[in-house]
Amino acid sequence: MSTAGKVIKCKAAVLWEANKPFSIEEVEVAPPKEHEVRIKIMATGICRSDDHVITGALVMPFPIILGHEAAGVVESVGQGVTSFKPGDKVIPLFIPQCGECKSCLGTKGNLCSNTDLASGAGLMPDGTTRFTCKGKAIHHFLGTSTFTEYTVVHESALAKIDSAAPLEKVCLIGCGFSTGYGAALQTAKVEPGSTCAVFGLGGVGLSVIMGCKVAGASRIIAVDINSDKFAKAKELGATDCVNPKDFQKPIHEVLIEMTGQGVDYSFEVIGRTDTMTAALACCQYNYGVSVIVGVPPAAEKITFDPMLLFTGRSWKGSVFGGWRSKDSVPKLVADYMNKKFVLDPLITHTLTLTQINEGFDLLRTGKSIRTVLKF
Ligand code: COD
Ligand code: ZN
């Protein structure tokens, strides 16, 4: 029997308050309103940003259903939705592409004004929620909320993808993979023959390495304080691996010595202020470009020698790899289907929704790169 137009009762991982485990609860998911789509989530990755909400580093209202890196199938559509139909395979977009704001209308940026990343309201664009549990309204996360069997998103925050795509793999295109890969290809625009340094070899850093390789970089130096990360970095394209703990001198000096004048492009994919400064300092003094990909810790500030910029270096940031989400996600899925890049090496664990707390333990203890929860 069709569920369209009816409230769906299903399982979800609810976070009732900060620094607590998720509770698996029965929630009610309201039908999609005008220009909204209800999706059956088939697979979702666990990302560091979800953990940032649990610890309070990223401030969001509670109770909340987290998760923003997923793939699923359309269950039903609200009034006025013409570009999606039940059965379509889709990826929710935590940075929407509304097509109407300055970013979306221009050609320079990808950060749609309608993302909930800045305001952190935890609501649908109309200011309400589609989730309830035990009589309480439950907040949305970044307009996506994917740690649930069913969710509702605005049509501007959804991309339709190839019907043959394996959802348990391409879910990573919803955040981690695209964030890293795009930082190299879209934000830095690495050219053939370049020298690159990548600080931090989690799933996002490894995706930066894949992007540098596809761009034709001739030298890719991987930097991490955990040498266990080096084997996979090499498998994906790193030519050199450096552990700052093996040196007395600061890591930026080590990298300048290794390369002569410093690297053409550096990427900070850890989210620490000290490594952001080191990444800036290790790039070529005149035309080097350093990209901040790691989410900066809330309320921390950086003090740095402005001479680093005066000589010509550029310091940039990158959100969702600079990709305009709705346009790019279907193309990235097509590139994956055409074997332009791999996702398997990033997926170290596969669990079910009810094992979500185990998945977060694996993230916190550094044992996983990406855990995918399959429904
Ligand atoms: N020097 C070198 N390496 C270090 C140091 C250090 N001082 N400290 C930690 N590391 C290494 C760790 O050993 C680890 O290997 C790596 O850095 C970090 O990896 P993870 O697994 O914690 O992180 P990832 O790859 O999942 O990346 C997450 C980011 C840290 C980049 C995080 O900020 C993020 O998810 N960014 C996505 C950006 C974004 O747009 N988010 C918004 C919605 S998701
Ligand atoms: Zn993420």
Side-chain angles (χ1 to χ4, degrees):
M1 210 170 57
S2 170
T3 44
K6 299 179 187 148
V7 170
I8 291 181
K9 284 189 181 188
C10 69
K11 235 188 284 168
V14 176
L15 191 69
W16 291 99
E17 51 186 314
N19 295 307
K20 287 277 158 63
F22 292 92
S23 309
I24 303 297
E25 307 277 7
E26 186 181 80
V27 299
E28 294 88 37
V29 185
K33 290 191 182 173
E34 202 175 355
H35 295 295
E36 295 178 355
V37 180
R38 190 161 58 183
I39 307 159
K40 182 169 175 32
I41 298 290
M42 304 303 288
T44 178
I46 293 179
C47 174
R48 182 68 65 175
S49 307
D50 299 307
D51 194 44
H52 284 341
V53 178
I54 303 174
T55 62
L58 187 61
V59 180
M60 291 285 160
F62 293 100
I64 189 165
I65 295 177
L66 297 176
H68 60 281
E69 180 181 90
V73 175
V74 172
E75 174 269 338
S76 64
V77 301
Q79 222 186 349
V81 174
T82 54
S83 46
F84 298 97
K85 58 177 190 315
D88 284 348
K89 282 192 179 176
V90 287
I91 289 182
L93 309 168
F94 69 89
I95 300 205
Q97 191 179 339
C98 72
E100 288 163 10
C101 72
K102 201 168 176 191
S103 263
C104 287
L105 287 172
T107 53
K108 289 183 180 169
N110 73 320
L111 193 49
C112 172
S113 314
N114 287 302
T115 175
D116 196 24
L117 206 52
S119 67
L123 299 168
M124 292 298 283
D126 74 349
T128 62
T129 95
R130 301 292 163 270
F131 299 118
T132 50
C133 179
K134 297 176 178 161
K136 289 203 176 79
I138 309 292
H139 289 93
H140 293 248
F141 180 48
L142 303 179
T144 49
S145 288
T146 60
F147 296 157
T148 168
E149 290 173 320
Y150 287 88
T151 192
V152 177
V153 306
H154 192 267
E155 65 176 340
S156 64
L158 196 64
K160 183 172 164 173
I161 59 164
D162 186 339
S163 62
L167 300 182
E168 72 286 4
K169 314 269 188 218
V170 299
C171 58
L172 299 197
I173 292 175
C175 181
F177 170 76
S178 307
T179 297
Y181 191 68
L185 291 175
Q186 287 286 119
T187 307
K189 298 198 175 12
V190 171
E191 304 103 357
S194 320
T195 300
C196 303
V198 182
F199 289 67
L201 305 176
V204 183
L206 292 171
S207 304
V208 174
I209 291 179
M210 286 193 252
C212 293
K213 189 176 175 194
V214 164
S218 57
R219 199 163 178 202
I220 305 170
I221 307 172
V223 183
D224 203 295
I225 49 171
N226 179 356
S227 301
D228 293 347
K229 306 272 178 163
F230 293 163
K232 200 153 263 180
K234 284 208 166 135
E235 179 191 326
L236 294 172
T239 54
D240 309 70
C241 294
V242 184
N243 188 333
K245 287 185 172 168
D246 294 341
F247 299 88
Q248 293 290 332
K249 60 176 92 166
I251 187 65
H252 71 273
E253 286 181 21
V254 174
L255 291 164
I256 290 172
E257 272 171 27
M258 280 173 77
T259 53
Q261 284 203 338
V263 299
D264 299 311
Y265 298 98
S266 66
F267 301 87
E268 201 281 353
V269 206
I270 305 164
R272 292 176 57 96
T273 51
D274 58 344
T275 42
M276 288 173 187
T277 319
L280 176 68
C282 81
C283 66
Q284 205 276 351
Y285 62 89
N286 181 218
Y287 51 76
V289 176
S290 187
V291 183
I292 292 177
V293 186
V295 176
E300 264 189 51
K301 302 276 182 285
I302 294 184
T303 306
F304 72 102
D305 179 357
M307 188 58 83
L308 288 168
L309 295 183
F310 177 75
T311 57
R313 289 179 182 88
S314 306
W315 213 354
K316 304 179 101 176
S318 178
V319 181
F320 194 56
W323 302 107
R324 293 161 82 84
S325 60
K326 215 173 172 50
D327 295 344
S328 305
V329 163
K331 290 183 194 154
L332 287 165
V333 170
D335 285 349
Y336 171 74
M337 299 300 280
N338 291 325
K339 301 195 166 29
K340 199 166 166 193
F341 57 82
V342 290
L343 293 169
D344 269 343
L346 303 179
I347 304 170
T348 50
H349 298 78
T350 304
L351 299 173
T352 60
L353 178 65
T354 51
Q355 293 171 303
I356 187 167
N357 289 311
E358 215 176 296
F360 275 82
D361 286 342
L362 290 165
L363 174 84
R364 291 173 194 139
T365 51
K367 289 186 186 135
S368 59
I369 293 179
R370 268 303 198 256
T371 295
V372 171
L373 305 176
K374 284 212 274 186
F375 289 67

